[in-house]
Amino acid sequence: RSRWYNRILQRNSNRHNSNNDDKATTTGNAFYNITSTNYDLEAYELDLPEVVSAKRKLLSSRLFHRRPWLQRKANDNDEYPKLKEANFNDLNATRKVLEGILLNDNDAEREDVTNIILFEGVMIYLDEGVPHALLELCSDVLRKSHTANSITSSSKATLGYLCYADRLENIPGGDEDAAHVEMESTGWELVDFLSKPGLARHMGVARVV
């Protein structure tokens, strides 16, 4: 998964342009599988309150020892990534958290921002119907970010991508046709899709439309 995430970020980010910034909003343990040192990411990690508390303790005691380049990236930040509490079964609260990250006035001052949302092994544990609604929620917030950046900046509008290694709803087994339908019905265009064994059986990339 680490190699896959790195490849996806390389393909869908603006890291080749030093004037641009990429913003990654991750869930589960997706951030900790980003092993490359080549990304200048403004990163946010969303998880349950009790998990966020545990991660804060582990960041300084374990992660920075194993991956010291993350400590260098943290610099003046108290933590890297910025940890945010979110219970994805509470869609209204989750929307507020995402809007606080993605509808950021500071983004309008940048030449271009690529917003990338990563899901890893989260939808498996959500209530029935929530994974589908969560895809709709994410695409809606990214569209609002896209529109806000277009209005306030003369530069390119904000881009939005979804990368996932998870189990999506309404996709029996590894049916790619069903994946296209599910993504289109929630505001996404499926770009890449791969099915594999295991609980998090769906891996892929989609862009907001």
Side-chain angles (χ1 to χ4, degrees):
R1 287 185 187 177
S2 296
R3 291 192 299 270
W4 182 78
Y5 276 126
N6 286 324
R7 187 171 67 251
I8 292 303
L9 283 173
Q10 182 177 14
R11 184 186 305 168
N12 296 301
S13 72
N14 278 322
R15 71 181 183 89
H16 58 279
N17 187 336
S18 60
N19 294 322
N20 294 342
D21 297 291
D22 298 330
K23 183 181 291 185
T25 304
T26 67
T27 67
N29 286 315
F31 174 80
Y32 306 110
N33 278 323
I34 301 172
T35 58
S36 176
T37 63
N38 295 326
Y39 304 111
D40 184 15
L41 289 170
E42 179 181 340
Y44 296 82
E45 179 88 349
L46 278 56
D47 218 322
L48 292 169
E50 58 269 27
V51 178
V52 165
S53 177
K55 284 181 177 179
R56 285 196 172 110
K57 296 176 182 177
L58 286 172
L59 269 173
S60 58
S61 63
R62 298 290 295 276
L63 181 65
F64 289 153
H65 287 293
R66 291 188 292 113
R67 298 178 183 174
W69 61 85
L70 295 181
Q71 178 71 73
R72 292 195 297 271
K73 283 178 176 292
N75 291 328
D76 296 331
N77 296 329
D78 292 331
E79 59 199 4
Y80 188 86
K82 298 176 180 68
L83 295 168
K84 299 286 186 178
E85 298 179 357
N87 180 347
F88 297 114
N89 282 317
D90 186 339
L91 292 170
N92 289 331
T94 300
R95 176 179 287 275
K96 290 180 180 179
V97 174
L98 274 178
E99 288 179 345
I101 295 171
L102 299 176
L103 298 178
N104 189 332
D105 291 339
N106 293 331
D107 289 348
E109 301 174 2
R110 303 174 184 178
E111 185 168 327
D112 193 13
V113 178
T114 299
N115 285 311
I116 304 173
I117 297 178
L118 295 90
F119 277 94
E120 181 179 21
V122 171
M123 296 183 181
I124 298 169
Y125 304 103
L126 300 181
D127 296 341
E128 185 178 355
V130 172
H132 178 90
L134 193 57
L135 290 178
E136 289 181 316
L137 187 158
C138 289
S139 66
D140 182 60
V141 174
L142 282 171
R143 252 188 313 275
K144 287 182 178 178
S145 175
H146 179 107
T147 301
N149 197 55
S150 298
I151 293 173
T152 58
S153 173
S154 60
S155 63
K156 292 181 181 179
T158 303
L159 303 173
Y161 293 95
L162 172 73
C163 306
Y164 57 88
D166 217 319
R167 187 178 66 204
L168 307 182
E169 279 190 322
N170 306 315
I171 305 175
D175 189 334
E176 186 170 351
D177 289 337
H180 278 279
V181 172
E182 176 68 3
M183 286 299 174
E184 289 173 5
S185 70
T186 54
W188 299 94
E189 178 187 2
L190 191 64
V191 178
D192 290 316
F193 181 78
L194 173 69
S195 62
K196 65 179 185 61
L199 291 175
R201 63 176 66 113
H202 305 130
M203 297 176 68
V205 179
R207 58 174 164 251
V208 72
V209 293

